[in-house]
Amino acid sequence: MLMLVSPMMNISQLKKSGHWPTLLTSFLYFDVSFMVWTLLGALGSMIAPDLGLDPQQKFMMVSLPILSGAFLRIVLSLLVDRIGTKKTGILAQLIVMAGLVVAWRMGIHSYGQALALGLVLGVAGASFAVALPQSGRWYPPHLQGVVLGLAGAGNIGVVIDHLAAPRIANLWGWQSVFGAALIPLVLAFVLYVAFSKEPPGEFKRKKLSDYVNLLRQRDAHWFCFFYTISFGGFVGLATAFAIYFRDEFGLTAVHAGEVAAFCTLVGALGRPMGGALADRVGGIRSLTIFYSIATVSLIGAALTHNLWVCGGCFFLASGAFGMCNGSVFQLLPQRFAKDIAVMTGLVGCGGGLGGFLLGMFFGSSKTYTGNYVYGILGFATLCVVALIGLRLVKTRWRTTWGATAAARI
Amino acid sequence: MKLLSTTHGVPAEAGRESEDAFRVQQRGSRAIAVLADGLGSSREGGVAARRAVDMMVDYHRARPLAWSIPRSLHEFATQINRLFHQESLQRHGSPELLCTLSVVVIEGGRLYGLNVGDSPVYLQRGGSLSRLSQAHHVDDPNMRHVLTRAIGLEASVEPFLFEAEVLDHDQILLCSDGVSNPLSDDTLSRMLEGQSTARAIVAAAREVVVTTPELQDDASAIVLRVVERGWAGDHPDRTLEVVPVLRLGQSVDDYVLVRPLQEGGRVWLAENSAGLRHVLKFPPSEAHDDEIRRDAFIREVWQATRVNSPDFVRAFIPPQESLRYYAMDFVDAPTLRKCLQKGPLRVEEAVELGRFLLRACQFLLTRDLAHADLKPDNILVVNSSGRLRFLLLDFGSAAELFSVTSRAGTPSYLAPERFMGGALSERTEIFAIGVTLYETLSQVYPYGEIERFQTPRFDSTPPLLSRRNPAVPGWLESLVRRALSPDPEHRYQNFSEMAYDLGHPDQVAPYHRKDAPLLERNPLLFYRVSTFILLMINMLLALLLLRK
């Protein structure tokens, strides 16, 4: 039975059941990780001139953490089932901190070093696979939605990046940002080690074959693709904004960061709204609306050259993608009820891939045509493909539901 | 196996009806004996006993072969229990459909049994009598008439299951406590050894009661005598394979797959060696390693094959079946959905459709079933010389009333309460019929298309049918709108109520939503009242004018 419970009631329930220090510390860990994950995106426009990078390389550098995060998620989630969540969490945090210490003390002097740091930061992006099961497994099924919702709040980390990183870089140079980022990381790490606890009970070990089996279903393909576009669009734009606004409109790093932060914020806040809307009007319908808005506003952003119009279009696109994320996650647990843990991993991987793809579109477009128009239009085309996919899923759901309906729920 | 059976029952007092019920059915080497004792303290004990016995025998005859006998007995007993409990709560507000239930099935040289309550089952073998059943009553000797478990007492029941090997000359006795209380186990044992019939045993119990009137009760007994056990045969349980992929031209038993009828390739048109065309339905490929889905399919087969009415497409299990699937008659007719794409049905055709749906639903109701997925896609339209005839399809969602509280079904046809955890009921089926009729007359959904996984709102009123289809008369509009009311209390409460309205257009009360203005609900009253008020004002004004 589905009950509508007010969020406040859920929060008080959260305090009573489960283990709230774990919930708090693991999400602190997740949130600061998300923040450093997209750090290179916020700094990209400042690092690039110092290392003499061409646009292709520039976008490669900022997108690589997203790609490596996508695949490391699956690695970490396999590890969680084998050595435990807390051990995996500690290991992942140590790797990220070590990487940042090296970058801060030794400095980044070449494209290769920047890429290496990008790979290491991917581990931070994979924290989702650790924090979520660790806190989620403490709580009964009906509170899982709230736990998932809190996780979504981590997206705000990107906004902080855009606001803080350029300012710190202005004061002490961009290398020092890596050092500054260590402060919240170390804090979260200490709290995590001290207060978080391994969730009780035995859990079914996920195997690589589980992922492969799930990928045999056609719906799984489409859901991965939907999230590739929506989360890819959100996180890809978030990392590309700073460079884009600086290149296109000659803004200073701080100003570009502010515009980027503003555009990203709406995407992060849109997530829960997208989920609520999907429940009210239907997931397919709401996704159709959001993808259409995203397509139109991306085309608008590609074809106009005015800071306000273009910024407005990106603002809309980012918000639409953020709401898409929420809508996808409204459908996902219902469509893949018992496989949700594996499916979340797969879909997240797709999302990361999308972010990387968008970065590559921007980079190649600038390198080969001298502007971003084709890159943005390319991504808009993918949105159209997603719209077609929605039609296909909708017709299939309409025809093949009966026999398995009772069994599924 | 050779088996002889005798049965006998008498009421406690001559001239009164007995609240016991019993039945024995033997087909080939299989036999089932059922005895139920209606609880005297309840209002409908006798009714419950008779219904429980009949349902058990009927269910067992059509039992899904994929289930073991104990599994199916358990399933049927809990289902009868749930049904009686729910129905009695709805009709009486308290559990009144109460009875005991004892069942013995002999098949393949084994005995399988189940009991709820205190009607005992005995096995007499080689001069000794053993009790196979469990007595579900309070232990205190003075309180033995108080049952701790009975069919219909609580929302769920845990029946006691037993099993035994059957040997030549075994005797099995099922009786009500009107027999087992007056007669001691020794007496029963001696009588069975002396080849007494059920009549003799019941008579002996009556004799004892003459001296101890406090034991007076309805008395009935079933005696099964195994003359010759014969060939035990293999276990009838069948585990049929679920084939993951089916291809065109593949042969399945006697059939060759001709053409897939549905996306996903699980429903096929097939032709057998005699040139007959049937539709074969296979379980979803996930059922291969998912027991819940396999079970759901087995249940579907069971529901589909035991329904036998000209309003339904006949479903059957091919005798030589070697894979998991079932067959249906192939009716070469379009679905109602296809017909609607060309245009709405005529009013008289829609009325006929309504009659058909209500008749089919009432038929299912007598089997305690609901279709649970009524929609134009599941209705075939056969055009026999200008007149439309309809057939109902797809038992994938069929279930007992009240047994489903999930959102299973097609969202656009689910009643609003089903989205809030409400149970499948006559009223939710009536809503689905309402949506189907609305669509049939207007080609659009009354509340818009609702998606899977959506929690819709029903606060808008569906647009008037007559606006889209001027041919729709007022009474039919009211009828459809009443079936579509978001509040189940304002809907038709029973199929028969709606069927009556459909047959008596002149008696259909106009339907208005709760918050409709007076002008819409009762225009005559509105104009009368407003005319009266205007008249009063005018007179007042005239009076004022005269005063001046």
Side-chain angles (χ1 to χ4, degrees):
Chain A
M1 187 172 106
L2 193 117
M3 276 195 308
L4 291 174
V5 186
S6 77
M8 284 312 286
M9 200 170 130
N10 277 336
I11 302 282
S12 65
Q13 276 181 328
L14 271 186
K15 272 199 247 166
K16 271 184 235 138
S17 51
H19 187 250
W20 67 266
T22 303
L23 183 68
L24 206 69
T25 52
S26 59
F27 277 118
L28 207 57
Y29 152 47
F30 172 65
D31 287 4
V32 293
S33 291
F34 207 97
M35 196 179 87
V36 289
W37 187 31
T38 49
L39 197 58
L40 283 180
L43 293 176
S45 60
M46 308 172 93
I47 301 175
D50 290 8
L51 299 184
L53 302 181
D54 65 38
Q56 180 95 52
Q57 291 172 326
K58 199 155 51 173
F59 280 99
M60 183 67 174
M61 173 184 75
V62 301
S63 310
L64 194 63
I66 300 172
L67 184 69
S68 76
F71 288 103
L72 285 170
R73 268 177 82 131
I74 294 189
V75 176
L76 282 199
S77 109
L78 293 173
L79 208 59
V80 157
D81 289 342
R82 277 155 188 82
I83 67 168
T85 49
K86 191 164 176 176
K87 276 188 199 148
T88 313
I90 292 175
L91 190 72
Q93 293 183 68
L94 285 175
I95 293 175
V96 173
M97 287 190 295
L100 282 174
V101 168
V102 171
W104 176 40
R105 302 305 315 165
M106 319 274 276
I108 303 281
H109 305 292
S110 70
Y111 179 49
Q113 286 171 347
L115 289 188
L117 178 64
L119 276 178
V120 171
L121 290 186
V123 179
S127 61
F128 200 81
V130 184
L132 209 67
Q134 185 174 8
S135 46
R137 284 171 185 179
W138 274 101
Y139 291 90
H142 70 279
L143 290 176
Q144 294 292 325
V146 193
V147 173
L148 262 169
L150 281 177
N155 290 355
I156 291 284
V158 192
V159 181
I160 304 174
D161 269 347
H162 282 309
L163 292 177
R167 290 187 164 74
I168 297 172
N170 261 357
L171 286 176
W172 298 296
W174 54 263
Q175 307 261 10
S176 65
V177 178
F178 301 131
L182 273 168
I183 300 170
L185 271 184
V186 169
L187 263 174
F189 179 69
V190 171
L191 290 173
Y192 181 82
V193 172
F195 295 111
S196 81
K197 264 169 73 176
E198 195 66 32
E202 280 289 312
F203 293 93
K204 194 176 145 251
R205 277 189 180 193
K206 288 188 284 293
K207 292 190 292 277
L208 214 52
S209 62
D210 292 340
Y211 290 90
V212 179
N213 280 338
L214 207 58
L215 271 181
R216 293 218 183 102
Q217 296 187 28
R218 234 178 300 170
D219 274 2
H221 298 177
W222 278 118
F223 270 93
C224 283
F225 184 70
F226 295 152
Y227 205 60
T228 301
I229 304 307
S230 66
F231 188 76
F234 167 72
V235 82
L237 286 179
T239 47
F241 275 149
I243 303 175
Y244 177 84
F245 284 121
R246 206 167 170 198
D247 275 10
E248 287 290 284
F249 301 105
L251 298 184
T252 63
V254 172
H255 274 128
E258 276 165 2
V259 178
F262 192 59
C263 289
T264 315
L265 183 69
V266 64
L269 294 181
R271 202 180 164 107
M273 283 193 269
L277 201 79
D279 187 51
R280 262 293 291 285
V281 307
I284 303 278
R285 197 170 287 143
S286 66
L287 280 174
T288 308
I289 299 171
F290 297 141
Y291 281 130
S292 306
I293 295 177
T295 311
V296 172
S297 42
L298 280 183
I299 294 173
L303 301 181
T304 51
H305 204 84
N306 170 296
L307 177 59
W308 290 104
V309 177
C310 185
C313 283
F314 273 125
F315 178 82
L316 275 179
S318 190
F321 283 136
M323 291 196 211
C324 276
N325 291 339
S327 298
V328 169
F329 267 86
Q330 188 266 342
L331 288 176
L332 212 57
Q334 304 189 73
R335 172 60 185 84
F336 297 94
K338 70 180 167 56
D339 303 314
I340 184 64
V342 179
M343 196 58 204
T344 313
L346 267 184
V347 161
C349 184
L353 204 65
F356 178 74
L357 215 60
L358 189 137
M360 289 300 92
F361 277 19
F362 272 60
S364 318
S365 174
K366 180 79 179 170
T367 311
Y368 297 115
T369 68
N371 58 46
Y372 293 106
V373 174
Y374 290 101
I376 303 174
L377 288 182
F379 205 77
T381 313
L382 288 183
C383 292
V384 175
V385 177
L387 283 168
I388 296 168
L390 283 169
R391 298 300 306 175
L392 292 176
V393 169
K394 187 176 171 183
T395 38
R396 188 165 55 249
W397 282 5
R398 217 191 261 154
T399 52
T400 57
W401 176 226
T404 51
R408 208 192 303 276
I409 302 175
Chain B
M1 188 180 65
K2 207 172 161 205
L3 191 78
L4 292 177
S5 67
T6 55
T7 58
H8 191 63
V10 290
E13 292 159 43
R16 239 199 55 215
E17 207 181 348
S18 172
E19 302 216 312
D20 289 356
F22 50 85
R23 217 168 128 183
V24 178
Q25 199 173 67
Q26 216 180 326
R27 311 175 105 203
S29 63
R30 300 194 275 163
I32 179 169
V34 190
L35 186 143
D37 178 357
L39 257 63
S41 57
S42 63
R43 269 193 260 174
E44 292 198 85
V47 174
R50 283 189 291 280
R51 275 178 66 187
V53 167
D54 288 344
M55 285 166 87
M56 199 59 172
V57 173
D58 289 350
Y59 283 5
H60 181 71
R61 188 175 41 220
R63 89 183 165 87
L65 290 179
W67 283 345
S68 67
I69 296 171
R71 165 84 201 272
S72 50
L73 288 182
H74 183 274
E75 194 82 19
F76 299 152
T78 48
Q79 190 173 308
I80 294 170
N81 173 72
R82 188 172 54 221
L83 201 79
F84 281 11
H85 185 72
Q86 296 271 17
E87 184 182 321
S88 184
L89 284 190
Q90 249 211 350
R91 288 200 356 233
H92 301 288
S94 60
E96 300 293 345
L97 281 164
L98 297 175
C99 65
T100 71
L101 184 65
S102 297
V103 189
V104 165
V105 169
I106 299 177
E107 200 170 319
R110 272 188 88 72
L111 173 156
Y112 308 87
L114 162 150
N115 87 293
V116 176
D118 65 349
S119 303
V121 179
Y122 297 98
L123 174 67
Q124 161 86 4
R125 174 180 295 168
S128 70
L129 186 79
S130 55
R131 191 192 269 254
L132 297 175
S133 59
Q134 212 176 45
H136 301 136
H137 55 57
V138 179
D139 272 339
D140 186 335
N142 296 323
M143 300 275 286
R144 301 191 74 159
H145 59 281
V146 179
L147 293 187
T148 51
R149 282 183 221 174
I151 294 289
L153 186 61
E154 278 161 349
S156 70
V157 71
E158 199 41 60
F160 177 72
L161 291 161
F162 49 88
E163 241 183 277
E165 188 84 17
V166 175
L167 300 178
D168 286 357
H169 314 306
D170 277 356
Q171 295 190 70
I172 297 113
L173 168 69
L174 290 84
C175 60
S176 61
D177 59 347
V179 170
S180 62
N181 284 346
L183 299 180
S184 70
D185 286 10
D186 283 346
T187 319
L188 283 173
S189 179
R190 233 175 316 116
M191 291 196 74
L192 285 172
E193 215 172 336
Q195 308 274 303
S196 296
T197 59
R199 179 182 288 272
I201 292 174
V202 170
R206 304 304 302 196
E207 269 172 44
V208 179
V209 168
V210 172
T211 53
T212 49
E214 72 274 14
L215 289 179
Q216 179 132 338
D217 196 356
D218 299 330
S220 10
I222 301 175
V223 176
L224 301 175
R225 190 161 291 142
V226 182
V227 180
E228 199 190 337
R229 174 177 177 253
W231 181 66
D234 56 355
H235 207 262
D237 290 359
R238 296 204 280 175
T239 41
L240 296 175
E241 200 202 335
V242 175
V243 263
V245 187
L246 294 152
R247 286 194 183 80
L248 199 90
Q250 188 174 337
S251 52
V252 175
D253 299 329
D254 195 24
Y255 293 100
V256 177
L257 302 184
V258 177
R259 159 162 70 90
L261 295 178
Q262 214 181 61
E263 202 194 337
R266 307 310 289 180
V267 181
W268 287 79
L269 177 63
E271 197 173 286
N272 68 8
S273 53
L276 286 173
R277 293 196 150 193
H278 288 143
V279 175
L280 305 189
K281 184 161 183 185
F282 297 83
S285 53
E286 293 93 333
H288 189 64
D289 40 25
D290 183 344
E291 203 186 340
I292 300 173
R293 292 199 189 192
R294 202 160 48 230
D295 244 34
F297 186 76
I298 292 169
R299 207 180 287 266
E300 171 180 343
V301 176
W302 179 52
Q303 312 280 34
T305 51
R306 79 193 175 108
V307 164
N308 189 4
S309 144
D311 287 335
F312 297 87
V313 175
R314 187 178 66 106
F316 57 96
I317 297 172
Q320 70 283 31
E321 177 180 60
S322 68
L323 292 171
R324 173 115 19 248
Y325 69 96
Y326 69 99
M328 286 172 274
D329 282 345
F330 175 61
V331 183
D332 195 8
T335 62
L336 180 56
R337 169 82 60 219
K338 271 253 170 61
C339 291
L340 288 180
Q341 277 160 8
K342 284 182 227 136
L345 292 194
R346 290 206 306 269
V347 169
E348 62 271 26
E349 290 165 344
V351 170
E352 182 52 39
L353 173 68
R355 282 212 195 96
F356 155 78
L357 285 174
L358 290 164
R359 189 172 62 227
C361 283
Q362 269 171 317
F363 174 84
L364 288 176
L365 192 66
T366 59
R367 276 152 181 73
D368 307 301
L369 280 179
H371 185 275
D373 199 12
L374 295 171
K375 55 176 173 178
D377 314 69
N378 283 340
I379 299 167
L380 291 181
V381 184
V382 187
N383 196 336
S384 48
S385 56
R387 253 184 78 99
L388 296 191
R389 208 164 62 80
F390 304 97
L391 280 169
L392 202 51
L393 268 184
D394 192 2
F395 274 80
S397 303
E400 296 76 41
L401 287 177
F402 305 112
S403 65
V404 180
T405 52
S406 68
R407 296 179 178 187
T410 307
S412 298
Y413 300 84
L414 285 186
E417 65 266 29
R418 291 284 306 277
F419 289 95
M420 305 302 199
L424 177 68
S425 68
E426 263 186 271
R427 298 188 295 192
T428 63
E429 290 288 275
I430 284 171
F431 186 87
I433 295 176
V435 179
T436 307
L437 288 179
Y438 192 96
E439 251 191 299
T440 305
L441 290 164
S442 70
Q443 294 175 287
V444 295
Y445 294 103
Y447 295 97
E449 183 175 10
I450 295 157
E451 277 180 24
R452 245 171 91 188
F453 311 132
Q454 181 185 345
T455 311
R457 290 233 186 149
F458 290 88
D459 38 18
S460 69
T461 333
L464 284 175
L465 271 174
S466 48
R467 206 167 292 162
R468 284 195 66 102
N469 183 351
V472 177
W475 68 271
L476 189 57
E477 173 105 54
S478 281
L479 179 122
V480 173
R481 293 173 88 77
R482 182 163 290 126
L484 282 174
S485 165
D487 183 348
E489 296 295 324
H490 292 168
R491 247 173 260 158
Y492 288 107
Q493 302 295 300
N494 306 98
F495 297 134
S496 50
E497 192 188 348
M498 188 168 172
Y500 182 87
D501 266 14
L502 207 53
H504 301 82
D506 49 323
Q507 292 174 32
V508 178
Y511 173 80
H512 302 288
R513 60 199 155 84
K514 239 186 317 181
D515 51 350
L518 185 67
L519 177 62
E520 192 187 311
R521 270 180 295 157
N522 193 344
L524 187 64
L525 184 70
F526 173 84
Y527 286 118
R528 264 189 194 153
V529 170
S530 46
T531 313
F532 181 75
I533 294 173
L534 285 177
L535 182 71
M536 284 291 128
I537 293 174
N538 276 329
M539 278 168 65
L540 198 74
L541 289 175
L543 205 71
L544 286 176
L545 199 70
L546 286 178
R547 275 245 183 111
K548 258 191 177 172

